[in-house]
Amino acid sequence: MDSKSKLNNIWVVFFLAMLCCFLWGSATPAIKTGYRIFSINSDDTWAIILFAGLRFFLAGILVILFQSLMEKKFIKPERKAFPSIFKLCLAQTVVQYYCYYVGLAHTSGVTGTILSGAGGFCSIILACLVFRQEKFTSNKIIGVLMGLFGIIIMNISFSGKTTIHFSFMGEGLILLAQISYALSGILVKKYSKDFSVVMLSGYQFILGGLIMIISALAAGARIDMNVGFSAYVLLLYMALISAVAYSLWGVLLKYNPVSRVTIFHFMVPLFGVLLSAIFLNEIDQALQINKLLALLLVSLGIYTVNRKSSKEPANL
């Protein structure tokens, strides 16, 4: 069985996708813990961007270093790959994580992880309607609507009277991050036909991280680096999240339809809510009825998107 056949195998897809989603789910409590350890104020936007840039630059170094060791030669991009790397770094790193990091600083870890589930729906919409990579079936329409309704339900607050909580700096930016994430997945699918997914992942992280670091330093951002050993272990873990998850996800997208992979994206909010509840002491938020309903609707929505109907071929 060649590598392509292995990566088409449902159990291989299941295991690798679940690993990616667990890692991404753990990112939310890790990021918010990092804000506390490195004394980053939620209103200090540029310090947040500097923190993110350090993480992604380190992630890129790890990807290239590991792949170079595996192939026993230094992995470097071809000259014609630079435009693809630049476009990918803007979508996958700079824009996505500018919005995500700043948005997460203005909302709870539980809310942030549930909103992350919107990325799967955005991916399907872009793949079907914009890039025409797949057909937009009735199941996908129903699933997208269920997911969007789940996000609305999640933002309803029941405190004496029913109100909808939504702020651009919080929930709004996280949703924009999911649109950018979806675009990056489409670009990975497109560019992987000509270039190594791992090479693209590593160098887009390095370039994206540098852009964020330079921009933040130019704006006067500073981070207290006089912290304990555990803080650097956390930063290394956050870099590994990106290095491992995005590289594996990119490989899965290369050899499988977008919807076949993104069916598993609903596990990001599930893992994220659980881990945020454990590590951020947000048990009460995680158990609120609207949060549980949102998780249920997001999960059912993505299941419906990829469910086999009598007239449609199965995605799995």
Side-chain angles (χ1 to χ4, degrees), residues 13 17 249 252-253 256-265 306 316:
V13 173
W249 198 258
L252 290 176
L253 286 172
N256 295 275
V258 172
S259 59
R260 187 180 196 187
V261 178
T262 56
I263 187 175
F264 296 98
H265 199 263
N306 291 275
L316 294 177

Side-chain angles (χ1 to χ4, degrees), residues 93-287:
T93 299
V94 178
V95 175
Q96 179 186 177
Y97 282 101
Y98 173 86
C99 293
Y100 188 74
Y101 268 66
V102 176
L104 194 59
H106 292 84
T107 189
S108 70
V110 168
T111 298
T113 50
I114 293 177
L115 284 172
S116 297
F121 299 111
C122 294
S123 296
I124 292 168
I125 290 172
L126 288 178
C128 295
L129 299 183
V130 179
F131 292 91
R132 305 288 184 179
Q133 293 178 343
E134 301 178 25
K135 292 183 179 180
F136 202 33
T137 64
S138 58
N139 280 352
K140 292 176 183 178
I141 294 173
I142 295 170
V144 167
L145 291 176
M146 290 177 68
L148 293 177
F149 187 62
I151 292 171
I152 293 172
I153 289 291
M154 185 206 65
N155 282 283
I156 294 179
S157 174
F158 301 96
S159 55
K161 61 180 181 178
T162 301
T163 59
I164 295 179
H165 175 267
F166 187 92
S167 71
F168 176 76
M169 291 300 293
E171 292 82 1
L173 285 180
I174 291 179
L175 285 175
L176 287 177
Q178 299 316 304
I179 295 173
S180 186
Y181 151 80
L183 177 60
S184 71
I186 299 297
L187 293 178
V188 168
K189 179 77 173 177
K190 177 181 178 181
Y191 298 148
S192 63
K193 296 177 181 178
D194 300 313
F195 307 109
S196 162
V197 172
V198 178
M199 181 277 292
L200 288 172
S201 179
Y203 281 102
Q204 73 83 17
F205 274 134
I206 291 174
L207 180 57
L210 278 175
I211 290 173
M212 298 175 87
I213 290 170
I214 294 171
S215 299
L217 291 175
R222 296 294 183 271
I223 291 179
D224 180 13
M225 302 301 291
N226 187 25
V227 290
F229 177 73
S230 61
Y232 292 101
V233 172
L234 177 65
L235 185 60
L236 178 62
Y237 173 73
M238 291 169 62
L240 284 170
I241 290 174
S242 299
V244 175
Y246 273 108
S247 295
L248 288 178
W249 198 258
V251 171
L252 290 176
L253 286 172
K254 177 180 175 67
Y255 293 111
N256 295 275
V258 172
S259 59
R260 187 180 196 187
V261 178
T262 56
I263 187 175
F264 296 98
H265 199 263
F266 79 92
M267 291 305 300
V268 175
L270 291 176
F271 282 130
V273 167
L274 176 62
L275 294 172
S276 291
I278 294 172
F279 292 104
L280 300 178
N281 296 317
E282 294 181 356
I283 297 292
D284 291 341
Q285 287 201 48
L287 296 179

